[in-house]
Amino acid sequence: MTPQPRIRHRLIRAFAHFTQPISAWVVAFVCVVLVSVTEPLIPALLKPLLDKGFAQNDFPVWQVPISLIGIFGLRGLGVFLSQVAMAKATNHGLIQLRMKMFARLQNADLALFKQQTASALGNTLVFEVQNGALLMVSSVMSLVRDSLTLIALVAYLLYLNWQLSLIVALLFPAVAWLMKALSKRLYQITRDTQKATDELAYVVEETALAYREIRLHQAQTMQIGRFETLAKTLQRLAMKTAVASSSMTPMTQILSAIALSGVISVALMQSQQTGMTVGGFAAFVTAMLMLIAPIKHLSEITGPLTRGLAALERGFELIENTALETGGSHQSVRARGHIELDNISVKYQPDMPWALHHINLNIQPGETVALVGTSGSGKSTLANVLLRFVGINEGKVSLDGTPLEAWDLQSLRHQFALVSQNVVVLNDSLAANVALGQTPDKQRVIECLNAAHLGDYLAGLPQHIHTMVGHNASTLSGGQRQRLAIARALYKDAPVLILDEATSALDNESERLVQDALQSLQKNRTTLVIAHRLTTIQYADRIIVMEEGSIVEQGTHQQLLQAQGAYAVMYKLSQSGVLS
């Protein structure tokens, strides 16, 4: 098990993200000092009031309301300004932290998205850092405020009676030991709670994404059982947290009661020997009782501070420990589209079979190459290699004679447009989705939508191209989604086009419209077509047949039929309706 870092080091690391603006911290600190140093003024007012006002009837009555209203008015103003200043500092630091995390997410190595679920990343980015920031900053301010209050009250107690103050001082080592022990306990519970929360959120995410499959297979009871198991785990951890946090208060109160009984006993003995006044004793006991509140707050601060730091550390780990995608420095405004794969091999895991094995392929600029084969033959893996979404284990891949590793990643991916069967649509306007990654040009957006046969759909929209398409465009049909992807590819105008099963899930009418749009899209572009429907790739300049990660034959449609090989068998099966 990794040892727990010292809480001081963890606090310094976290607080570094919340140091701005300086003006807010200055205001907050000055106000906290003001509130803390005025704390002893309340018991200090009791001493002359009791000794002179009640005993000797020699205290100006008008000073009482002025003093009390002045003290509490000053303290109220200090509390208000410090809280506003802290809110400003917290929210400023929070947005900066979120921006760093989100920027890291945009350029993170793709392994991150295999290691963490979408719900876990969303939970960390949106909820955990917010709760962590609020807990940490409020805990730190409480720590400073209560510590200064404690110092001010102890100083006043020493001024009144240093002998009695020594008894009170015995409280502090005991409270400090309790806080240290509680911090270790809460740290591990908090980490376990975060993991359990992620797992619970993922079950909810699965249920929302796979609601059709769950209902189709009557798996509701199974999902409810999984949810209940994880919810009960979270409940147990919550109870452990409550027990650990709540145990501090009674222990602190017992220690305070021991100190109070000792102070009263010694004070009674001193009054017989030194003539301690009633006002002096009342002021001392009042100040001592006022110590209980800051001591109690300090004893309870470990829980929220530990939870806040643990939550923020999830965000820090994302920023500091997530590897970035690496690329070279080569850039090109527009590539010619010459793709060369030189004996490449790909394996996803060391103990898994080759996804691609000794692939050699030379695609000329403007050439249309189709990849066919059964599921798992390596077609999509090959396309992902070109986009550098998958790394190669052996060989070399080049675009226009330059190895992909030497290309600047943004420049490399700028050369490719992708139309796949899984079209992702952002919760933004239609124009923003067509011009994804670029500033929308109204006329170009309309031209691309018309070219993709979406003119009729566009005409019926209430706000035309500025209409919000909604979460993942659930109101669009399958064919409309595919044509939206084609419009996006047209707008990007990349020299290399990848069509990955672009018409596999469409009906005949939708497929006809999509195919018409694809014909215009492929003009003057290097095109890589991945398809199961062999009728859609007969026009290709070359057809590559793949099996188990290897190329088994290649040629034109007619050449492959005449060769009577794997392609001919697949074609006959598709014609007979066995293979679609």
Side-chain angles (χ1 to χ4, degrees):
M1 182 182 293
T2 304
Q4 176 193 350
R6 290 182 179 272
I7 195 166
R8 179 170 59 88
H9 296 151
R10 295 168 60 208
L11 186 58
I12 292 172
R13 177 195 182 199
F15 213 73
H17 295 269
F18 294 88
T19 55
Q20 300 294 328
I22 296 296
S23 57
W25 283 107
V26 170
V27 171
F29 183 75
V30 170
C31 291
V32 166
V33 170
L34 178 66
V35 172
S36 301
V37 297
T38 55
E39 194 85 14
L41 293 180
I42 299 169
L45 188 62
L46 279 177
K47 188 176 186 303
L49 185 63
L50 291 174
D51 288 341
K52 295 182 179 180
F54 288 95
Q56 304 173 14
N57 199 22
D58 189 26
F59 191 84
V61 177
W62 61 268
Q63 289 186 9
V64 176
I66 291 178
S67 301
L68 288 175
I69 293 172
I71 291 171
F72 283 98
L74 196 61
R75 288 170 57 81
L77 179 63
V79 170
F80 170 75
L81 291 176
S82 65
Q83 289 180 348
V84 172
M86 277 301 88
K88 183 175 183 179
T90 302
N91 286 291
H92 181 275
L94 182 60
I95 192 171
Q96 296 300 316
L97 181 59
R98 277 178 171 160
M99 290 302 297
K100 289 179 184 177
M101 291 171 62
F102 196 68
R104 195 73 172 187
L105 207 60
Q106 302 306 307
N107 300 299
D109 189 88
L110 301 181
L112 172 70
F113 304 100
K114 299 175 183 178
Q115 297 164 357
Q116 295 201 40
T117 64
S119 57
L121 289 170
N123 186 49
T124 299
L125 189 65
V126 178
F127 300 111
E128 286 199 348
V129 291
Q130 178 170 338
N131 293 334
L134 293 173
L135 285 171
M136 185 201 71
V137 174
S138 62
S139 297
V140 168
M141 287 310 298
S142 178
L143 178 66
V144 173
R145 182 179 61 250
D146 291 321
S147 297
L148 290 175
T149 300
L150 209 58
I151 292 170
L153 288 171
V154 168
Y156 181 66
L157 289 174
L158 288 170
Y159 166 75
L160 286 177
N161 192 319
W162 66 269
Q163 294 98 332
L164 295 180
S165 301
L166 292 178
I167 300 174
V168 178
L170 295 175
L171 274 176
F172 301 130
V175 172
W177 180 84
L178 286 174
M179 290 175 65
K180 184 178 180 181
L182 181 63
S183 173
K184 290 181 179 179
R185 174 68 174 155
L186 282 172
Y187 179 78
Q188 188 56 49
I189 294 175
T190 303
R191 300 293 285 190
D192 293 342
T193 300
Q194 288 175 334
K195 183 179 178 182
T197 302
D198 286 346
E199 291 175 353
L200 188 68
Y202 187 58
V203 172
V204 177
E205 180 186 359
E206 283 181 329
T207 302
L209 294 175
Y211 65 91
R212 294 186 181 91
E213 289 79 2
I214 289 171
R215 284 162 175 76
L216 176 64
H217 296 280
Q218 292 88 47
Q220 295 98 321
T221 304
M222 182 191 75
Q223 286 296 93
I224 290 171
R226 290 178 63 201
F227 185 87
E228 184 181 15
T229 300
L230 291 169
K232 286 182 177 179
T233 300
L234 203 57
Q235 180 189 35
R236 287 194 296 272
L237 290 169
M239 289 306 301
K240 288 181 180 180
T241 302
V243 170
S245 300
S246 302
S247 62
M248 194 67 188
T249 300
M251 292 179 183
T252 306
Q253 289 177 342
I254 290 172
L255 292 172
S256 301
I258 294 171
L260 178 61
S261 59
V263 165
I264 293 174
S265 301
V266 173
L268 288 173
M269 289 187 292
Q270 283 187 343
S271 65
Q272 297 171 1
Q273 299 171 3
T274 60
M276 187 177 187
T277 65
V278 174
F281 177 73
F284 189 92
V285 171
T286 302
M288 192 192 76
L289 292 175
M290 290 176 70
L291 282 174
I292 294 176
I295 290 175
K296 181 175 181 291
H297 295 159
L298 289 172
S299 67
E300 294 173 346
I301 207 171
T302 306
L305 183 59
T306 302
R307 292 197 302 273
L309 288 174
L312 285 171
E313 282 164 357
R314 292 283 293 272
F316 302 154
E317 288 168 6
L318 180 64
I319 296 172
E320 298 167 6
N321 300 338
T322 300
L324 295 175
E325 283 189 294
T326 57
S329 57
H330 179 76
Q331 296 184 358
S332 175
V333 176
R334 187 176 182 85
R336 293 185 299 112
H338 180 207
I339 299 171
E340 188 173 4
L341 291 84
D342 184 10
N343 202 33
I344 71 162
S345 296
V346 174
K347 184 181 284 190
Y348 288 104
Q349 297 291 342
D351 57 345
M352 292 178 66
W354 292 102
L356 293 175
H357 196 46
H358 298 309
I359 299 294
N360 290 282
L361 192 59
N362 195 321
I363 303 175
Q364 296 299 317
E367 186 179 11
T368 296
V369 174
L371 301 178
V372 299
T374 57
S375 296
S377 59
K379 306 183 299 295
S380 294
T381 298
L382 195 151
N384 284 324
V385 164
L386 297 179
L387 299 170
R388 286 205 62 193
F389 291 155
V390 172
I392 60 175
N393 298 86
E394 299 174 3
K396 184 177 72 171
V397 184
S398 301
L399 175 62
D400 288 357
T402 303
L404 295 192
E405 293 79 7
W407 277 79
D408 174 82
L409 276 174
Q410 288 192 352
S411 182
L412 173 68
R413 289 170 182 161
H414 181 69
Q415 313 304 325
F416 291 87
L418 172 67
V419 180
S420 71
Q421 58 182 328
N422 300 315
V423 183
V424 176
V425 183
L426 304 184
N427 188 20
D428 206 334
S429 68
L430 182 63
N433 271 285
V434 172
L436 188 62
Q438 304 179 57
T439 303
D441 177 271
K442 182 178 180 180
Q443 189 57 40
R444 277 189 64 198
V445 168
I446 294 173
E447 289 173 358
C448 292
L449 287 169
N450 286 327
H453 297 280
L454 281 172
D456 293 341
Y457 169 73
L458 181 63
L461 295 178
Q463 294 176 287
H464 207 54
I465 64 170
H466 303 296
T467 302
M468 299 293 289
V469 294
H471 178 63
N472 208 18
S474 55
T475 58
L476 295 179
S477 68
Q480 289 171 331
R481 292 166 67 88
Q482 292 285 9
R483 281 176 274 157
L484 177 58
I486 293 169
R488 183 183 289 170
L490 283 167
Y491 194 94
K492 188 174 184 180
D493 191 28
V496 182
L497 175 64
I498 298 175
L499 305 176
D500 187 357
E501 306 284 5
T503 63
S504 62
L506 303 181
D507 56 62
N508 291 333
E509 178 60 22
S510 296
E511 182 181 2
R512 184 186 65 79
L513 291 173
V514 170
Q515 285 290 359
D516 290 345
L518 288 174
Q519 290 293 334
S520 61
L521 177 60
Q522 290 176 235
K523 291 178 182 178
N524 303 317
R525 287 180 173 84
T526 302
T527 305
L528 192 67
V529 183
I530 300 171
H532 275 121
R533 293 186 183 181
L534 302 188
T535 55
T536 63
I537 50 90
Q538 295 177 22
Y539 61 86
D541 298 318
R542 196 165 19 139
I543 298 172
I544 310 295
V545 184
M546 300 186 68
E547 287 183 5
E548 297 181 351
S550 299
I551 296 175
V552 294
E553 59 180 350
Q554 57 181 301
T556 64
H557 174 68
Q558 290 299 328
Q559 290 171 345
L560 292 174
L561 287 180
Q562 292 171 6
Q564 294 295 307
Y567 179 80
V569 174
M570 293 170 64
Y571 185 73
K572 288 177 183 177
L573 290 173
S574 68
Q575 291 297 300
S576 62
V578 176
L579 178 68
S580 176

